[in-house]
Amino acid sequence: MTGTPTPAQIAARAEARDQVRTELRSRVGGKAETEVAAPRVGPEEVTGAQSIVRSLEEVGAEVVFGIPGGAILPTYDPLMDSAKLRHILVRHEQGGGHAASGYAHATGRVGVTMATSGPGATNLVTPIADANMDSIPMVAITGQVASAAIGTDAFQEADIVGITMPITKHSYLVTDPAEIPRTIAEAFHIASTGRPGPVLVDIAKSAMQARTTFSWPQELNLPGYHPVTKPHSKQIREAAKLLATARRPVLYVGGGVIRAGAADLLRQLVDLSGAPVVTTLMARGAVPDSHPQHLGMPGMHGTVPAVAALQKADLVFALGARFDDRVTGKLSSFAPLAAIVHADIDPAEIGKNREADVPIVGDLREVIGDLLPELAKEHEAHGKPDVEGWWRQLDEWRRTYPRGYNEPEDGHLSPQHVIQRLGELTGPDAIYVAGVGQHQMWAAQFISYEHPNTWINSGGLGTMGYSIPAAMGAKVGQPDRTVWAVDGDGCFQMTNQELATCTINDIPIKVALINNSSLGMVRQWQTLFYESRYSNTDLHTGHGTMRVPDFVKLADAYGCEGIRVEHASDVDAAIKRANEIDDRPVVVDFTVSRDAMVWPMVAAGVSNDDIQYARGISPAWERED
């Protein structure tokens, strides 16, 4: 039928469009039930650049972290006119990428970053790789030289698609402006579904400048991309049977539980199973630290009870975990007595490092949701498992090897005390974002996490410089939450320029700078494994008369509130003062001991059986068996 549509037809089309647009926007957060995109009433004549902006609006993006440059400049002109997109001008592309990551982690939505071609795009490689390792949904849009110049080594040309192909879920090169809406819609769908991750969209400048017809795709057709979300019922039954009959079970929880939004169901599984649970570095907060069955974090710097439980378990029930080397230690000696149940959305992870006796592929919300009634049936039929003896042993380990630290002998602050008081005075509803190194481990150990998405860090890639921009992104995504960046003096100097972004854009993050005047974790390894030969780890930032830079003056230069704390008696007052300031960023420079170390510790490549509770002190497992 042709002709002018009636008002009723127009209203019906608008209602259908709004309904499907809502469905697509929910998928941006990884919760979609449909692959239908939002249809529009009719096509529109626009430039390719306008098409990019319109496409971002259609998928429900709200914030773009970026920097303009020659190849992306055509898009920045219509971006200025958008009433739906907030663009935040960062000071470095790496900062934009990490900010998009922090936003995504804090909100569960897709983070968006934008950069120009060549060095602008290559500066995004690190945050893209970081997001890939930690399964963060992110879309990076980069400008590329004009299509006719591609392959000629034109000014600021780099094959960013080729460079990032191993570290993205998918990469696109767009030279036809008509392909822009479909590509953007697909990119957001791929980034947010299945195992989340980064997607790169590289768009030629010529495609941005050309005229095109904007037409939003009515459906997405992605042959070969069909993530399995529903687990196989037979595998669920087998897993339930093992969990119901194990005498020494451990629930080994990874960051996939948080990505799946399955923390509420996990809590039900923990309660129903009666099993101890350990949460990896990426899963802190998935189970409340206050839960009596929570043993803490496993791995290289995990708690002794968590590490010991995995080593002595007869069943390791892994949910959204990768059997990462930092958790397993020497892989051949990891959990030698245990059967393995491994559930993950990504089939490539199952069996990659440790063979699974019961592999389960599926979305963890559906996996745990299906597992709960099956486990209840097993309990009905056979009674609950006898784990009393197991808990007696676990509780003995908890009493014998509690979390703790020694006060430093050099007169400087204890970093553990600073971070513990930060968590106690600020509370579990805040978001804590760490860089990488000793301060990261102390923040994971000495702050109590009661909720998912309140702990953000660079886990898989271990990216120094992550904390400040990621905290900025988290604060943008959760403006009503207190956001603390827990950073080291080494990490801080890599990306602290984003404090200017925070000040100018009214993003009042707070920074707890754990300043030991050193590259702390490297120095710890030099102490333990290199006969205290401190080659190139002294940063001269906090001890003695030399402070290069003076972080309080630097904070002031960036328009932040700068506070220095050198005495334990001033720690609480400084944290309280920082929490009261909400109209600008705050940097608190805590001068801590450079001799403080992270314990417990399993040395790299060593069996978890050889964990040291403190230097020279190892648990006597055989006497405790």
Side-chain angles (χ1 to χ4, degrees):
M1 179 179 292
T2 60
T4 303
T6 67
Q9 288 173 323
I10 293 173
R13 291 178 187 177
E15 184 179 355
R17 178 193 66 214
D18 291 342
Q19 179 180 355
V20 183
R21 182 186 289 118
T22 300
E23 291 171 345
L24 179 64
R25 286 177 177 173
S26 72
R27 186 170 64 239
V28 171
K31 305 291 188 297
E33 299 294 335
T34 177
E35 291 192 3
V36 180
R40 298 197 60 81
V41 173
E44 302 173 41
E45 290 296 318
V46 294
T47 65
Q50 290 172 319
S51 183
I52 294 170
V53 174
R54 289 293 303 278
S55 297
L56 289 173
E57 292 174 342
E58 289 297 322
V59 295
E62 297 174 338
V63 184
V64 177
F65 301 92
I67 303 180
I72 195 69
L73 200 56
T75 298
Y76 269 79
D77 187 62
L79 184 60
M80 190 175 184
D81 299 325
S82 176
K84 298 179 179 179
L85 292 173
R86 178 188 182 187
H87 180 274
I88 295 177
L89 175 63
V90 295
R91 295 305 181 265
H92 191 283
E93 290 87 357
Q94 182 178 351
H98 291 323
S101 170
Y103 172 91
H105 198 147
T107 65
R109 298 173 62 82
V110 175
V112 185
T113 186
M114 190 177 290
T116 195
S117 64
T122 58
N123 280 342
L124 284 176
V125 169
T126 295
I128 289 171
D130 188 279
N132 187 59
M133 288 285 279
D134 288 345
S135 304
I136 304 295
M138 185 170 83
V139 170
I141 298 174
T142 54
Q144 184 53 272
V145 299
S147 57
I150 293 175
T152 67
D153 290 332
F155 177 67
Q156 289 194 332
E157 180 188 1
D159 179 12
I160 195 63
V161 169
I163 291 168
T164 60
M165 195 169 291
I167 55 172
T168 56
K169 280 191 75 176
H170 196 62
S171 297
Y172 292 90
L173 173 61
V174 180
T175 57
D176 181 354
E179 294 297 309
I180 289 172
R182 177 189 59 80
T183 302
I184 297 292
E186 289 181 2
F188 274 74
H189 176 66
I190 292 170
S192 60
T193 55
R195 178 179 183 172
V199 177
L200 175 82
V201 181
D202 192 35
I203 306 175
K205 185 175 183 178
S206 54
M208 299 181 208
Q209 294 172 320
R211 301 293 299 181
T212 185
T213 300
F214 178 85
S215 181
W216 192 244
Q218 296 188 32
E219 61 180 5
L220 300 180
N221 183 21
L222 292 166
Y225 182 72
H226 301 289
V228 175
T229 60
K230 185 69 176 174
H232 196 289
S233 58
K234 179 178 181 294
Q235 304 301 91
I236 291 291
R237 289 194 299 271
E238 289 295 320
K241 188 178 298 182
L242 283 176
L243 188 55
T245 57
R247 302 292 293 273
R248 299 189 306 279
V250 178
L251 298 174
Y252 162 35
V253 174
V257 167
I258 291 179
R259 298 290 172 270
D264 54 342
L265 291 172
L266 173 64
R267 174 66 181 270
Q268 295 178 45
L269 178 62
V270 172
D271 292 340
L272 179 63
S273 70
V277 58
V278 301
T279 53
T280 68
L281 181 66
M282 295 306 299
R284 303 291 287 114
V287 175
D289 279 352
S290 59
H291 195 288
Q293 290 164 237
H294 191 202
L295 301 181
M297 184 174 70
M300 176 176 278
H301 295 296
T303 69
V304 170
V307 172
L310 288 169
Q311 289 303 98
K312 302 302 182 183
D314 63 2
L315 174 67
V316 171
F317 203 110
L319 296 162
R322 298 187 292 120
F323 289 85
D324 175 71
D325 63 286
R326 284 300 194 258
V327 169
T328 66
K330 185 179 179 182
L331 185 60
S332 61
S333 66
F334 174 72
L337 309 174
I340 304 293
V341 174
H342 191 179
D344 203 282
I345 187 68
D346 186 355
E349 287 297 342
I350 296 176
K352 183 178 76 174
N353 293 325
R354 175 69 179 263
E355 184 178 353
D357 298 283
V358 180
I360 305 173
V361 177
D363 181 277
L364 287 175
R365 280 198 68 83
E366 298 201 37
V367 169
I368 301 174
D370 288 356
L371 182 64
L372 287 168
E374 288 297 329
L375 184 59
K377 285 180 188 176
E378 289 291 331
H379 289 170
E380 254 183 64
H382 307 293
K384 290 202 170 185
D386 179 9
V387 292
E388 288 186 14
W390 183 222
W391 272 110
R392 281 195 296 273
Q393 176 67 89
L394 295 171
D395 288 338
E396 176 63 23
W397 286 329
R398 287 206 275 203
R399 285 190 297 271
T400 307
Y401 304 107
R403 181 179 65 181
Y405 57 89
N406 293 322
E407 289 292 335
E409 298 178 356
D410 58 8
H412 291 295
L413 295 173
S414 158
Q416 299 96 326
H417 171 73
V418 168
I419 291 172
Q420 185 169 335
R421 292 303 292 156
L422 175 65
E424 291 169 349
L425 293 171
T426 306
D429 293 328
I431 295 174
Y432 302 90
V433 187
V436 170
Q438 287 180 315
H439 64 277
Q440 174 192 27
M441 295 298 104
W442 288 320
Q445 293 174 331
F446 288 96
I447 294 174
S448 293
Y449 298 97
E450 297 295 307
H451 313 293
N453 299 308
T454 55
W455 163 248
I456 299 173
N457 79 127
S458 171
L461 197 64
T463 304
M464 292 182 69
Y466 179 82
S467 180
I468 300 300
M472 175 174 72
K475 182 65 175 177
V476 170
Q478 299 282 1
D480 297 329
R481 305 279 290 277
T482 298
V483 178
W484 273 96
V486 182
D487 217 357
D489 47 316
C491 287
F492 181 71
Q493 292 186 82
M494 294 188 174
T495 53
N496 63 39
Q497 68 272 11
E498 299 307 336
L499 288 174
T501 309
C502 292
T503 297
I504 292 168
N505 290 278
D506 297 319
I507 308 170
I509 67 169
K510 308 176 195 304
V511 182
L513 189 54
I514 308 303
N515 181 4
N516 61 5
S517 198
S518 301
L519 295 171
M521 188 62 84
V522 181
R523 191 178 193 275
Q524 175 168 333
W525 282 47
Q526 287 174 333
T527 301
L528 297 175
F529 309 121
Y530 293 89
E531 300 177 343
S532 298
R533 290 165 53 85
Y534 300 120
S535 174
N536 292 282
T537 47
D538 190 347
L539 294 177
H540 301 285
T541 54
H543 293 181
T545 57
M546 181 180 290
R547 294 183 183 273
V548 183
D550 184 318
F551 290 125
V552 172
K553 291 180 180 178
L554 183 68
D556 182 65
Y558 277 128
C560 308
E561 179 78 10
I563 302 170
R564 177 170 293 123
V565 180
E566 297 180 288
H567 304 289
S569 58
D570 297 328
V571 169
D572 285 14
I575 294 170
K576 290 175 183 177
R577 171 65 181 141
N579 281 331
E580 292 169 354
I581 297 172
D582 203 36
D583 61 348
R584 60 198 181 279
V586 183
V587 177
V588 186
D589 179 11
F590 293 101
T591 304
V592 304
S593 174
R594 71 190 342 158
D595 294 323
M597 292 194 188
V598 182
W599 300 104
M601 181 177 181
V602 180
V606 170
S607 170
N608 283 350
D609 288 330
D610 298 322
I611 186 173
Q612 291 191 43
Y613 178 58
R615 191 172 185 180
I617 302 175
S618 294
W621 302 124
E622 294 304 317
R623 287 200 302 272
E624 293 169 346
D625 276 347

